[in-house]
Amino acid sequence: MALSKNRIKYIRSLELKKNRKANKVFLAEGPKLVGDLLEHFACRFLIATAEWLSEHKQLPTNDVTEVSEEDLARASLLKTPQQVLAVFEQPDEAMDTSAISRSLCLALDDVQDPGNLGTIIRLADWFGIEHIFCSPNTVDVYNPKTVQATMGGIARVKLHYTPLPELIRSLKDIPVYGTFLDGENMYTQSLSTNGLIVMGNEGNGIGREVEQLINRKLYIPNYPSDLETSESLNVAIATAVVCAEFRRQAASL
Amino acid sequence: MALSKNRIKYIRSLELKKNRKANKVFLAEGPKLVGDLLEHFACRFLIATAEWLSEHKQLPTNDVTEVSEEDLARASLLKTPQQVLAVFEQPDEAMDTSAISRSLCLALDDVQDPGNLGTIIRLADWFGIEHIFCSPNTVDVYNPKTVQATMGGIARVKLHYTPLPELIRSLKDIPVYGTFLDGENMYTQSLSTNGLIVMGNEGNGIGREVEQLINRKLYIPNYPSDLETSESLNVAIATAVVCAEFRRQAASL
């Protein structure tokens, strides 16, 4: 069956947030990712090659189009299209801030790069972090580049877009961490198994208003060296190094 | 002065490895990165806006073209061109494998994504790792996306493309680490301050031949959870978490 021009246009329109938002959908591509997401999100429609379809007879949607690799490439946003592309419904998630008192959560203050956000979701998934609170200016979780970079983590980690100052002010006696050059060496601190770890924007770090609400400032030590070295880490890398240390301490308690 | 069509064509041709290699050059963009690299690499030529040039009167090249933002955008490979673009000469680096017995080094077995490689160079710089040995199929360090992602780390961290099995076989009594699902929990191991940490390809991990030469298999524990969680970490994230633990142990000796 050929793919209609309208459908190709619709799929490609989902590169833009306003179109994703208007339709309350998002796009995912590739056998591994789509396979993962089919178990967690309602699927509006799916297009795939005969090869993929022959291995997936039972699908949770009736709107399935078999396409040639050529047609798939016309719809795909990837450089190298991968057998299957699906459009899913954005779920309605209720925000549950009580998770912050029970468990370790992340907050992102204006992270801008879709790949960084996706990588952070993937590593949150690895480290068993179930909730990420994002400032309203943080890049959209349903950006196709973000979805792809989560490698399926988007199915398990919940994102909540909400103004961070209000969120943090609503927390009572809960540790709120952030990394700063003038923070305390995180390896010398006793880190909690609950609370919020705030990570900042790629260029500007954590905003001033949020910074003033952080009650536990940490520093990620670099390697003592006489050489001139890098001044900073990529935000996803910094998030990983911090989360790993929280989880190392928790496991060795 | 207007930018010639030929020069625009030349700059844009540097997106391809064969053209970078034929000319032994690479491209970098943006005030921060170009500023860093001007101190470390020979500059063939530079194009910049009047604004940038007014703040940089002393330049180590005579081939400087002042351009409008519009002309800069015609040459730039970035979505958002940033004031300055420069073409640098690729340095000739002699490979020094004795660094592996003296210090901690990285080896990359077919890392394919330019952004991942750049991020790894940036974090190596942060963690004071001065040498990265790359399998010949690892993505080119002079890929513009890699150069941008290093955030200047490319000026300090040395990359050497060489077959990894031969390299590892030439090492005598030196620890060679890699991460595997069946490795030892890295937090329970005593990690050395020298040796080689091997990281693998995004999809396939470490190749079989290299795996057989690894004498210290490590495992990065994820967070114990009853939930289904992610099966893997992005290679740059895994590299960071491993390097951070080596440096944490070294600092607490």
Side-chain angles (χ1 to χ4, degrees):
Chain A
M1 201 191 318
L3 204 56
S4 73
K5 273 194 186 168
N6 270 346
R7 187 148 272 193
I8 292 173
K9 200 173 153 190
Y10 176 81
I11 293 168
R12 301 194 65 94
S13 81
L14 299 180
E15 200 164 8
L16 293 184
K17 180 177 176 179
K18 65 171 183 183
N19 297 323
R20 295 191 297 270
K21 202 175 164 186
N23 294 287
K24 288 203 74 179
V25 297
F26 67 96
L27 180 70
E29 303 194 54
K32 170 78 178 63
L33 180 62
V34 171
D36 251 25
L37 301 194
L38 281 171
E39 293 173 29
H40 291 88
F41 298 100
C43 181
R44 282 272 175 90
F45 66 85
L46 181 150
I47 69 173
T49 59
E51 185 190 353
W52 189 86
L53 288 170
S54 71
E55 289 162 14
H56 298 82
K57 307 276 189 201
Q58 303 273 342
L59 289 170
T61 172
N62 291 322
D63 191 340
V64 175
T65 312
E66 183 183 316
V67 291
S68 61
E69 306 240 346
E70 218 165 46
D71 261 6
L72 184 65
R74 287 167 63 211
S76 173
L77 300 182
L78 300 180
K79 270 189 194 167
T80 315
Q82 295 173 53
Q83 295 180 48
V84 57
L85 174 161
V87 170
F88 295 97
E89 291 176 20
Q90 296 182 10
D92 283 311
E93 300 282 3
M95 183 167 85
D96 175 15
T97 60
S98 74
I100 305 172
S101 60
R102 283 196 311 272
S103 66
L104 199 62
C105 297
L106 284 173
L108 304 180
D109 192 14
D110 292 6
V111 166
Q112 289 303 295
D113 182 81
N116 280 342
L117 179 59
T119 303
I120 290 171
I121 294 169
R122 182 177 177 188
L123 73 91
D125 190 23
W126 174 271
F127 286 114
I129 291 169
E130 293 172 47
H131 296 273
I132 301 179
F133 298 86
C134 301
S135 64
N137 284 328
T138 298
V139 61
D140 183 30
V141 57
Y142 298 116
N143 181 303
K145 285 182 189 160
T146 302
V147 173
Q148 295 300 124
T150 69
M151 297 289 279
I154 193 176
R156 292 172 290 266
V157 178
K158 306 281 174 269
L159 270 76
H160 315 282
Y161 287 77
T162 189
L164 298 184
E166 285 82 333
L167 170 69
I168 298 174
R169 282 196 200 96
S170 77
L171 304 173
K172 301 286 172 228
D173 299 321
I174 289 175
V176 179
Y177 299 89
T179 59
F180 297 90
L181 289 175
D182 64 350
E184 300 281 342
N185 180 337
M186 69 171 180
Y187 295 121
T188 66
Q189 302 297 300
S190 173
L191 305 172
S192 57
T193 55
N194 70 339
L196 202 57
I197 304 172
V198 184
M199 304 300 299
N201 169 269
E202 287 86 349
N204 306 318
I206 294 172
R208 192 161 301 189
E209 191 180 359
V210 173
E211 175 175 353
Q212 288 171 345
L213 297 166
I214 285 173
N215 51 39
R216 312 236 351 225
K217 289 193 173 185
L218 301 177
Y219 173 66
I220 305 173
N222 63 358
Y223 190 64
S225 164
D226 295 334
L227 294 170
E228 169 198 15
T229 58
S230 168
E231 291 141 44
S232 68
L233 287 170
N234 163 285
V235 62
I237 295 292
T239 307
V241 171
V242 171
C243 290
E245 179 59 11
F246 273 81
R247 293 319 199 187
R248 184 189 71 82
Q249 290 196 13
S252 63
L253 282 179
Chain B
M1 202 191 317
L3 205 56
S4 72
K5 275 196 185 166
N6 270 345
R7 187 148 272 192
I8 292 173
K9 200 173 154 191
Y10 176 82
I11 292 167
R12 301 193 65 93
S13 81
L14 299 180
E15 200 164 8
L16 294 185
K17 181 176 176 179
K18 65 173 183 181
N19 298 323
R20 294 191 297 271
K21 202 175 164 186
N23 295 287
K24 289 204 70 177
V25 297
F26 69 95
L27 180 70
E29 301 194 53
K32 170 79 178 62
L33 180 62
V34 170
D36 251 26
L37 301 195
L38 282 172
E39 293 172 28
H40 291 89
F41 297 100
C43 180
R44 282 271 176 92
F45 66 84
L46 182 150
I47 69 174
T49 60
E51 185 190 354
W52 189 86
L53 288 171
S54 71
E55 289 162 15
H56 298 81
K57 306 277 188 199
Q58 301 274 342
L59 290 169
T61 172
N62 291 320
D63 192 339
V64 174
T65 311
E66 184 183 316
V67 291
S68 62
E69 306 240 348
E70 218 167 46
D71 261 6
L72 184 66
R74 288 168 63 211
S76 174
L77 300 181
L78 300 180
K79 271 188 194 166
T80 315
Q82 296 173 53
Q83 296 181 45
V84 56
L85 175 161
V87 170
F88 296 96
E89 292 177 18
Q90 297 183 8
D92 284 311
E93 300 281 4
M95 183 167 85
D96 174 16
T97 60
S98 74
I100 305 171
S101 59
R102 284 196 311 271
S103 66
L104 200 62
C105 298
L106 285 172
L108 305 179
D109 193 15
D110 292 5
V111 166
Q112 289 302 296
D113 182 79
N116 281 342
L117 178 59
T119 303
I120 290 171
I121 294 170
R122 182 177 176 189
L123 74 90
D125 190 24
W126 174 272
F127 286 114
I129 291 170
E130 294 171 48
H131 296 273
I132 301 179
F133 298 86
C134 301
S135 65
N137 284 328
T138 298
V139 61
D140 183 30
V141 57
Y142 297 116
N143 182 303
K145 286 183 189 159
T146 303
V147 172
Q148 294 302 124
T150 69
M151 297 288 278
I154 193 178
R156 291 172 291 267
V157 178
K158 306 280 172 272
L159 271 77
H160 314 282
Y161 287 77
T162 189
L164 298 184
E166 284 84 332
L167 170 70
I168 298 174
R169 282 197 199 96
S170 76
L171 304 173
K172 300 287 172 229
D173 299 321
I174 290 174
V176 179
Y177 299 89
T179 60
F180 297 90
L181 290 175
D182 64 350
E184 301 282 342
N185 180 337
M186 69 171 180
Y187 295 121
T188 65
Q189 302 298 300
S190 172
L191 304 173
S192 57
T193 55
N194 70 340
L196 202 58
I197 304 171
V198 184
M199 304 300 299
N201 170 269
E202 287 85 351
N204 305 318
I206 294 172
R208 191 161 302 188
E209 191 180 359
V210 173
E211 176 175 352
Q212 288 172 346
L213 297 167
I214 284 173
N215 50 40
R216 307 219 18 208
K217 288 192 174 185
L218 301 178
Y219 173 66
I220 304 174
N222 62 358
Y223 191 65
S225 164
D226 295 335
L227 294 169
E228 168 197 17
T229 59
S230 167
E231 291 142 44
S232 68
L233 287 170
N234 163 286
V235 61
I237 296 293
T239 307
V241 170
V242 171
C243 290
E245 179 59 11
F246 273 81
R247 293 321 201 186
R248 185 189 71 82
Q249 291 197 12
S252 64
L253 282 179

